[in-house]
């Protein structure tokens, strides 16, 4: 009876340890899901930033084309001196605006590239953390399985003891 009580106490201890491991496993699994969702969000942000960078580059090309057209117009208008003076001031203002816009676009593009680099590093870190969680989850599964086998053997031993 003492052995049976001892085994029963041990069985309860192991059962409690098993329950704790199951809770830990659930917590880690939840964290893994959260990290996966964060990773997906970061990838979506990177895709959005790439789209915006392409859009900015296209706008820059567009403004550069407009700038070239303006310069061609200016060279054609040089034949008429009165028109040249009037048109030249207008084109200079447009040119300044376009240069400012091109400069702003360049700065925005540089900022987007920096943000993309930061997000890429964050994605790499998140992937590493997710892999660590997966390893921890596998280890917890192994511990759980070994504890289940040990509990099963104690139950069988307890049954044998009762029969004896």
């Amino acid at each position: 009876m003492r052995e049976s009580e001892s085994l029963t106490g041990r069985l309860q201890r192991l059962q409690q340890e098993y329950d704790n491991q199951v809770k830990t496993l659930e917590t880690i699994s939840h964290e893994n899901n959260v990290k996966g969702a964060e990773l997906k969000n970061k990838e979506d942000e990177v895709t959005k930033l790439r789209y915006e960078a392409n859009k900015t580059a296209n706008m820059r090309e567009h403004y550069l084309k407009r700038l070239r057209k303006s310069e061609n117009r200016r060279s054609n208008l040089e034949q008429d001196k009165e028109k040249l003076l009037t048109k030249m001031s207008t084109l200079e203002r447009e040119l300044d605006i376009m240069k400012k816009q091109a400069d702003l676009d360049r700065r925005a593009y540089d900022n987007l590239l920096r943000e993309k680099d930061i997000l890429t590093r964050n994605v790499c870190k998140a992937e590493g953390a997710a892999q660590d969680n997966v390893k921890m989850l596998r280890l917890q599964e192994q511990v759980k399985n070994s504890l289940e086998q040990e509990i099963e053997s104690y139950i069988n031993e307890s049954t044998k003891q009762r029969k004896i």
Side-chain angles (χ1 to χ4, degrees):
M1 284 175 63
R2 278 190 216 134
E3 284 183 7
S4 177
E5 289 173 4
S6 171
L7 288 173
T8 302
R10 190 170 178 193
L11 176 64
Q12 289 174 352
R13 237 181 312 119
L14 288 172
Q15 184 66 40
Q16 186 178 9
E17 196 174 304
Y18 169 75
D19 291 341
N20 289 340
Q21 290 294 329
V22 167
K23 288 178 184 176
T24 303
L25 180 63
E26 290 172 358
T27 303
I28 289 172
S29 181
H30 175 70
E31 289 175 6
N32 195 22
N33 289 339
V34 169
K35 293 290 182 182
E38 289 175 4
L39 178 63
K40 184 183 183 310
N41 288 340
K42 295 292 181 184
E43 288 173 348
D44 291 343
E45 286 179 27
V46 166
T47 303
K48 184 179 176 183
L49 287 174
R50 284 183 183 151
Y51 169 76
E52 289 183 15
N54 287 336
K55 184 179 174 182
T56 302
N58 289 338
M59 286 175 60
R60 182 173 180 250
E61 286 296 322
H62 173 72
Y63 286 123
L64 287 174
K65 287 179 184 177
R66 284 181 61 187
L67 178 64
R68 288 184 206 115
K69 286 180 183 178
S70 295
E71 289 174 352
N72 288 336
R73 267 188 268 137
R74 192 178 95 199
S75 67
N76 291 335
L77 295 175
E78 284 177 354
Q79 297 169 0
D80 189 357
K81 204 166 199 179
E82 290 180 22
K83 289 181 182 180
L84 175 63
L85 293 174
T86 306
K87 294 289 181 178
M88 189 168 73
S89 64
T90 303
L91 288 174
E92 285 176 351
R93 277 185 252 128
E94 280 185 24
L95 183 62
D96 288 339
I97 291 170
M98 285 182 209
K99 283 183 180 178
K100 288 177 184 176
Q101 186 62 42
D103 188 44
L104 291 174
D105 289 342
R106 231 180 286 117
R107 288 180 189 163
Y109 180 74
D110 291 342
N111 287 338
L112 289 174
L113 285 178
R114 272 187 245 115
E115 288 178 18
K116 183 191 99 171
D117 290 341
I118 290 169
L119 289 175
T120 301
R121 279 186 242 124
N122 288 342
V123 166
C124 289
K125 287 179 186 176
E127 285 176 351
Q131 288 176 356
D132 290 343
N133 284 341
V134 168
K135 288 178 185 176
M136 184 61 99
L137 184 63
R138 287 182 184 142
L139 179 65
Q140 292 294 329
E141 282 290 330
Q142 290 174 353
V143 169
K144 182 185 108 176
N145 290 338
S146 67
L147 287 174
E148 285 176 348
Q149 289 175 354
E150 193 174 357
I151 288 171
E152 188 62 35
S153 69
Y154 286 129
I155 289 172
N156 289 340
E157 184 65 31
S158 176
T159 305
K160 284 182 184 177
Q161 291 293 325
R162 281 191 208 123
K163 284 183 181 177
I164 289 171

